[in-house]
PDB file of all heavy atoms in Angstrom:
ATOM      1  N   GLU A  80       0.951  32.673  13.712  1.00 98.00           N
ATOM      2  CA  GLU A  80       0.316  33.916  14.159  1.00 98.00           C
ATOM      3  C   GLU A  80      -0.331  34.636  12.981  1.00 98.00           C
ATOM      4  O   GLU A  80      -1.398  35.239  13.122  1.00 98.00           O
ATOM      5  CB  GLU A  80       1.326  34.805  14.876  1.00 98.00           C
ATOM      6  CG  GLU A  80       1.686  34.263  16.253  1.00 98.00           C
ATOM      7  CD  GLU A  80       2.831  34.991  16.933  1.00 98.00           C
ATOM      8  OE1 GLU A  80       3.603  35.699  16.238  1.00 98.00           O
ATOM      9  OE2 GLU A  80       2.964  34.845  18.162  1.00 98.00           O
ATOM     10  N   ASP A  81       0.301  34.565  11.812  1.00 98.00           N
ATOM     11  CA  ASP A  81      -0.283  35.148  10.605  1.00 98.00           C
ATOM     12  C   ASP A  81      -1.602  34.454  10.254  1.00 98.00           C
ATOM     13  O   ASP A  81      -2.595  35.112   9.938  1.00 98.00           O
ATOM     14  CB  ASP A  81       0.709  35.044   9.443  1.00 98.00           C
ATOM     15  CG  ASP A  81       0.163  35.648   8.167  1.00 98.00           C
ATOM     16  OD1 ASP A  81      -0.224  36.837   8.176  1.00 98.00           O
ATOM     17  OD2 ASP A  81       0.128  34.925   7.150  1.00 98.00           O
ATOM     18  N   LEU A  82      -1.615  33.126  10.333  1.00 98.00           N
ATOM     19  CA  LEU A  82      -2.851  32.380  10.061  1.00 98.00           C
ATOM     20  C   LEU A  82      -3.919  32.703  11.108  1.00 98.00           C
ATOM     21  O   LEU A  82      -5.102  32.846  10.778  1.00 98.00           O
ATOM     22  CB  LEU A  82      -2.592  30.878  10.027  1.00 98.00           C
ATOM     23  CG  LEU A  82      -1.718  30.350   8.896  1.00 98.00           C
ATOM     24  CD1 LEU A  82      -1.541  28.847   9.028  1.00 98.00           C
ATOM     25  CD2 LEU A  82      -2.302  30.710   7.534  1.00 98.00           C
ATOM     26  N   ALA A  83      -3.514  32.811  12.367  1.00 98.00           N
ATOM     27  CA  ALA A  83      -4.473  33.144  13.431  1.00 98.00           C
ATOM     28  C   ALA A  83      -5.103  34.513  13.176  1.00 98.00           C
ATOM     29  O   ALA A  83      -6.315  34.688  13.358  1.00 98.00           O
ATOM     30  CB  ALA A  83      -3.791  33.114  14.798  1.00 98.00           C
ATOM     31  N   ALA A  84      -4.296  35.483  12.744  1.00 98.00           N
ATOM     32  CA  ALA A  84      -4.828  36.817  12.431  1.00 98.00           C
ATOM     33  C   ALA A  84      -5.791  36.744  11.255  1.00 98.00           C
ATOM     34  O   ALA A  84      -6.849  37.383  11.266  1.00 98.00           O
ATOM     35  CB  ALA A  84      -3.682  37.788  12.134  1.00 98.00           C
ATOM     36  N   TRP A  85      -5.453  35.953  10.234  1.00 98.00           N
ATOM     37  CA  TRP A  85      -6.322  35.788   9.068  1.00 98.00           C
ATOM     38  C   TRP A  85      -7.653  35.184   9.503  1.00 98.00           C
ATOM     39  O   TRP A  85      -8.724  35.659   9.098  1.00 98.00           O
ATOM     40  CB  TRP A  85      -5.637  34.914   8.019  1.00 98.00           C
ATOM     41  CG  TRP A  85      -6.346  34.851   6.720  1.00 98.00           C
ATOM     42  CD1 TRP A  85      -6.130  35.631   5.617  1.00 98.00           C
ATOM     43  CD2 TRP A  85      -7.424  33.950   6.356  1.00 98.00           C
ATOM     44  NE1 TRP A  85      -6.991  35.279   4.605  1.00 98.00           N
ATOM     45  CE2 TRP A  85      -7.789  34.255   5.035  1.00 98.00           C
ATOM     46  CE3 TRP A  85      -8.091  32.938   7.017  1.00 98.00           C
ATOM     47  CZ2 TRP A  85      -8.794  33.576   4.359  1.00 98.00           C
ATOM     48  CZ3 TRP A  85      -9.104  32.258   6.359  1.00 98.00           C
ATOM     49  CH2 TRP A  85      -9.449  32.576   5.048  1.00 98.00           C
ATOM     50  N   LEU A  86      -7.589  34.137  10.320  1.00 98.00           N
ATOM     51  CA  LEU A  86      -8.825  33.509  10.807  1.00 98.00           C
ATOM     52  C   LEU A  86      -9.653  34.508  11.611  1.00 98.00           C
ATOM     53  O   LEU A  86     -10.871  34.597  11.437  1.00 98.00           O
ATOM     54  CB  LEU A  86      -8.504  32.270  11.641  1.00 98.00           C
ATOM     55  CG  LEU A  86      -8.010  31.061  10.870  1.00 98.00           C
ATOM     56  CD1 LEU A  86      -7.471  29.995  11.820  1.00 98.00           C
ATOM     57  CD2 LEU A  86      -9.114  30.486   9.992  1.00 98.00           C
ATOM     58  N   GLY A  87      -8.998  35.265  12.490  1.00 98.00           N
ATOM     59  CA  GLY A  87      -9.708  36.267  13.288  1.00 98.00           C
ATOM     60  C   GLY A  87     -10.415  37.284  12.416  1.00 98.00           C
ATOM     61  O   GLY A  87     -11.545  37.672  12.700  1.00 98.00           O
ATOM     62  N   ALA A  88      -9.757  37.702  11.341  1.00 98.00           N
ATOM     63  CA  ALA A  88     -10.363  38.663  10.411  1.00 98.00           C
ATOM     64  C   ALA A  88     -11.545  38.059   9.665  1.00 98.00           C
ATOM     65  O   ALA A  88     -12.369  38.791   9.114  1.00 98.00           O
ATOM     66  CB  ALA A  88      -9.313  39.160   9.416  1.00 98.00           C
ATOM     67  N   HIS A  89     -11.636  36.724   9.656  1.00 98.00           N
ATOM     68  CA  HIS A  89     -12.735  36.031   8.995  1.00 98.00           C
ATOM     69  C   HIS A  89     -13.727  35.425   9.999  1.00 98.00           C
ATOM     70  O   HIS A  89     -14.477  34.513   9.673  1.00 98.00           O
ATOM     71  CB  HIS A  89     -12.180  34.951   8.063  1.00 98.00           C
ATOM     72  CG  HIS A  89     -11.515  35.532   6.853  1.00 98.00           C
ATOM     73  ND1 HIS A  89     -10.206  35.963   6.861  1.00 98.00           N
ATOM     74  CD2 HIS A  89     -11.996  35.793   5.626  1.00 98.00           C
ATOM     75  CE1 HIS A  89      -9.901  36.449   5.678  1.00 98.00           C
ATOM     76  NE2 HIS A  89     -10.973  36.368   4.900  1.00 98.00           N
ATOM     77  N   GLY A  90     -13.684  35.932  11.241  1.00 97.00           N
ATOM     78  CA  GLY A  90     -14.685  35.562  12.236  1.00 97.00           C
ATOM     79  C   GLY A  90     -14.450  34.252  12.963  1.00 97.00           C
ATOM     80  O   GLY A  90     -15.369  33.732  13.593  1.00 97.00           O
ATOM     81  N   ILE A  91     -13.223  33.726  12.906  1.00 97.00           N
ATOM     82  CA  ILE A  91     -12.924  32.471  13.604  1.00 97.00           C
ATOM     83  C   ILE A  91     -11.852  32.745  14.648  1.00 97.00           C
ATOM     84  O   ILE A  91     -10.733  33.147  14.323  1.00 97.00           O
ATOM     85  CB  ILE A  91     -12.429  31.382  12.621  1.00 97.00           C
ATOM     86  CG1 ILE A  91     -13.504  31.083  11.578  1.00 97.00           C
ATOM     87  CG2 ILE A  91     -12.040  30.116  13.381  1.00 97.00           C
ATOM     88  CD1 ILE A  91     -13.055  30.130  10.484  1.00 97.00           C
ATOM     89  N   GLU A  92     -12.206  32.539  15.913  1.00 97.00           N
ATOM     90  CA  GLU A  92     -11.244  32.738  16.992  1.00 97.00           C
ATOM     91  C   GLU A  92     -10.174  31.663  16.929  1.00 97.00           C
ATOM     92  O   GLU A  92     -10.475  30.465  16.812  1.00 97.00           O
ATOM     93  CB  GLU A  92     -11.955  32.692  18.339  1.00 97.00           C
ATOM     94  CG  GLU A  92     -11.051  33.041  19.496  1.00 97.00           C
ATOM     95  CD  GLU A  92     -11.793  33.073  20.814  1.00 97.00           C
ATOM     96  OE1 GLU A  92     -12.980  33.453  20.828  1.00 97.00           O
ATOM     97  OE2 GLU A  92     -11.174  32.709  21.824  1.00 97.00           O
TER      98      GLU A  92
END
Side-chain angles (χ1 to χ4, degrees):
E80 287 172 342
D81 181 56
L82 294 179
W85 189 94
L86 288 169
H89 289 84
I91 299 174
E92 186 176 326

